[in-house]
Amino acid sequence: MSRPITRRDLVKGAAAAAVAAATPATAAQGPAVVRSKGARPAVISSANGNFFKNGGSRTCVEEAFTRMMQGGDVLDALIAGVNIVELDPADTSVGYGGLPNAEGVVQLDSCCMHGPKKRAGGVAALEGVRTPSKVAHAVMEYTDHHLLVGAGAQQFARQLGFEIEGDLNTERSRKAWLEWKRRIDPDHFPKPEDRHSVNHRVLRELIAEELIDARHYWGTINCDGINAKGEICGVTTTSGLAWKIPGRVGDSPILGAGLYVDGQVGAAGSTGRGEANLFGLCSFLVVEMMRQGKHPKDAGLEALRRIKANTIEKRLLKANGDPNFNISFYALNATGEFAGVSMYAEDDNDRGWAGQANTRNVRYAVCSENGPEMLNMDGLIPGALQDGM
């Protein structure tokens, strides 16, 4: 038999209710999480994801979206998409034929993240394998680790049956490297400031002579996707900075920098100057901004503001004080909203992706129910990188 309610019980209950009412509702809660309620399926990537086909009929974003909509695992679909770019020798920023390091060796980096499984894998400074994204996926699937590097990554790939080639250069990438080597002569080790100016001069010459594409000096491909169930995954793969010091690893294979995925919030990845991104782990930052409710565009712009504020070395600044490099982020949230943002959204050197020639707009690739599209990036700083140099 229950005990009768006394006046003391009523007083205690009223006091407890008063304390609860006086306590802020958010005191014991974390940031609001964006959750999927009937997500809009989409695949986004850097611009090369809707240009190169490696002799086939589909680009990266088309292939990934098709496989995803046919019921395939989202990450499997994205990797199949970026494989097209990795294997295409015409893209000198990714995989086979990627611009080599200072010694003429192609070293590749990649990482991937699976939102639903909450798993990830990556490889860095991998030599001899055309599709580093597949090796990164194998690290995720078959090991207890997130990152394998150098000779260890290559040995792991060999053990799993990947073909190991002696040289991933193409005639085009080797010719570009030989010209760079001949002109800069790095064995003389000039002062850092002199070396930096010589590098920029030679780079401008090689671009002007069309020996390399300006987009491919820092080039990479990031590809992220979400299906109708709200399952989110991402992958980033690159040959890294052209003519880098052997063993240099940029942001692309590093979780939180070149790529970050939270299956309940969204995904973000990057292309451009990896060192600037690594300093602030900005892909992680973009996802955290989306967790707090920011639209992918606003989250990406916040990351660019952080990078701009952290860029204070004179050698990294233009004459007008702005950063002398470009960097871009690609982001989508758990409802399927997406955006592409760049430090500079215009580019004097852009000869056009997908047949859109003579345009200053930096673009990114999307495939959704509307089919494959090239959309203009939103920029933090007005104009192009070349302005104010």
Side-chain angles (χ1 to χ4, degrees), residues 92-172:
T92 57
S93 70
V94 177
Y96 175 56
L99 294 176
N101 65 22
E103 298 304 318
V105 178
V106 178
Q107 292 183 321
L108 305 175
D109 307 326
S110 182
C111 76
C112 60
M113 296 187 73
H114 199 292
K117 293 181 179 179
K118 300 187 184 300
R119 295 171 66 183
V123 291
L126 174 64
E127 299 177 13
V129 181
R130 297 190 181 197
T131 53
S133 62
K134 285 188 174 182
V135 185
H137 188 247
V139 172
M140 184 192 89
E141 290 288 353
Y142 300 120
T143 80
D144 186 40
H145 310 307
H146 284 327
L147 182 64
L148 297 180
V149 304
Q154 187 188 71
Q155 177 63 15
F156 171 74
R158 179 181 288 109
Q159 291 170 339
L160 290 187
F162 285 89
E163 180 182 359
I164 309 299
E165 301 180 55
D167 186 6
L168 293 184
N169 275 295
T170 59
E171 182 179 351
R172 179 183 180 187

Side-chain angles (χ1 to χ4, degrees), residues 276-308:
N277 187 17
L278 277 167
F279 190 81
L281 293 176
C282 290
S283 289
F284 175 79
L285 173 64
V286 171
V287 173
E288 287 304 294
M289 291 293 99
M290 292 192 294
R291 186 190 304 277
Q292 295 176 22
K294 287 185 178 293
H295 186 276
K297 173 184 172 181
D298 297 322
L301 290 173
E302 176 59 27
L304 292 172
R305 291 188 192 97
R306 300 279 184 98
I307 290 174
K308 184 175 184 293

Side-chain angles (χ1 to χ4, degrees), residues 6-17:
T6 66
R7 182 176 181 276
R8 177 176 294 181
D9 294 328
L10 292 173
V11 172
K12 288 172 64 178

Side-chain angles (χ1 to χ4, degrees), residues 290-371:
M290 292 192 294
R291 186 190 304 277
Q292 295 176 22
K294 287 185 178 293
H295 186 276
K297 173 184 172 181
D298 297 322
L301 290 173
E302 176 59 27
L304 292 172
R305 291 188 192 97
R306 300 279 184 98
I307 290 174
K308 184 175 184 293
N310 286 329
T311 304
I312 61 174
E313 293 184 70
K314 185 176 180 180
R315 67 185 181 87
L316 297 176
L317 297 173
K318 301 194 296 185
N320 65 5
D322 289 332
N324 68 4
F325 55 85
N326 210 353
I327 184 166
S328 302
F329 292 97
Y330 315 89
L332 61 81
N333 64 21
T335 65
E337 295 177 312
F338 51 78
V341 300
S342 288
M343 187 72 73
Y344 302 92
E346 297 181 5
D347 189 349
D348 286 336
N349 287 320
D350 191 359
R351 293 183 173 86
W353 289 104
Q356 299 176 2
N358 302 318
T359 175
R360 285 172 58 97
N361 294 117
V362 179
R363 288 175 294 279
Y364 69 108
V366 174
C367 193
S368 64
E369 67 271 17
N370 298 324

Side-chain angles (χ1 to χ4, degrees), residues 23-44:
T23 303
T26 59
Q29 298 178 355
V33 175
V34 179
R35 298 183 183 276
S36 172
K37 293 183 179 179
R40 173 193 177 198
V43 171
I44 66 171

Side-chain angles (χ1 to χ4, degrees), residues 14 52 73 109 157 187 301 309 380:
F52 297 97
D73 177 82
D109 307 326
D187 291 337
L301 290 173
L380 177 68

Side-chain angles (χ1 to χ4, degrees), residues 76-238:
D76 289 345
L78 299 177
I79 290 177
V82 300
N83 288 165
I84 293 172
V85 187
E86 289 175 322
L87 293 170
D88 195 325
D91 188 318
T92 57
S93 70
V94 177
Y96 175 56
L99 294 176
N101 65 22
E103 298 304 318
V105 178
V106 178
Q107 292 183 321
L108 305 175
D109 307 326
S110 182
C111 76
C112 60
M113 296 187 73
H114 199 292
K117 293 181 179 179
K118 300 187 184 300
R119 295 171 66 183
V123 291
L126 174 64
E127 299 177 13
V129 181
R130 297 190 181 197
T131 53
S133 62
K134 285 188 174 182
V135 185
H137 188 247
V139 172
M140 184 192 89
E141 290 288 353
Y142 300 120
T143 80
D144 186 40
H145 310 307
H146 284 327
L147 182 64
L148 297 180
V149 304
Q154 187 188 71
Q155 177 63 15
F156 171 74
R158 179 181 288 109
Q159 291 170 339
L160 290 187
F162 285 89
E163 180 182 359
I164 309 299
E165 301 180 55
D167 186 6
L168 293 184
N169 275 295
T170 59
E171 182 179 351
R172 179 183 180 187
S173 65
R174 185 178 293 105
K175 180 180 179 181
W177 172 76
L178 284 171
E179 277 299 307
W180 172 82
K181 190 79 168 176
R182 179 179 66 81
R183 299 184 194 193
I184 193 171
D185 194 12
D187 291 337
H188 287 166
F189 291 100
K191 292 186 296 184
E193 56 269 29
D194 293 340
R195 182 179 173 83
H196 181 74
S197 63
V198 171
N199 255 316
H200 271 272
R201 175 180 59 78
V202 173
L203 174 62
R204 288 194 295 269
E205 291 174 357
L206 294 174
I207 292 171
E209 295 170 27
E210 299 189 12
L211 287 171
I212 65 172
D213 190 313
R215 293 164 298 209
H216 290 178
Y217 181 71
W218 294 102
T220 299
I221 184 169
N222 164 250
C223 189
D224 310 305
I226 181 171
N227 64 14
K229 299 178 184 177
E231 296 173 333
I232 307 169
C233 296
V235 60
T236 298
T237 182
T238 187

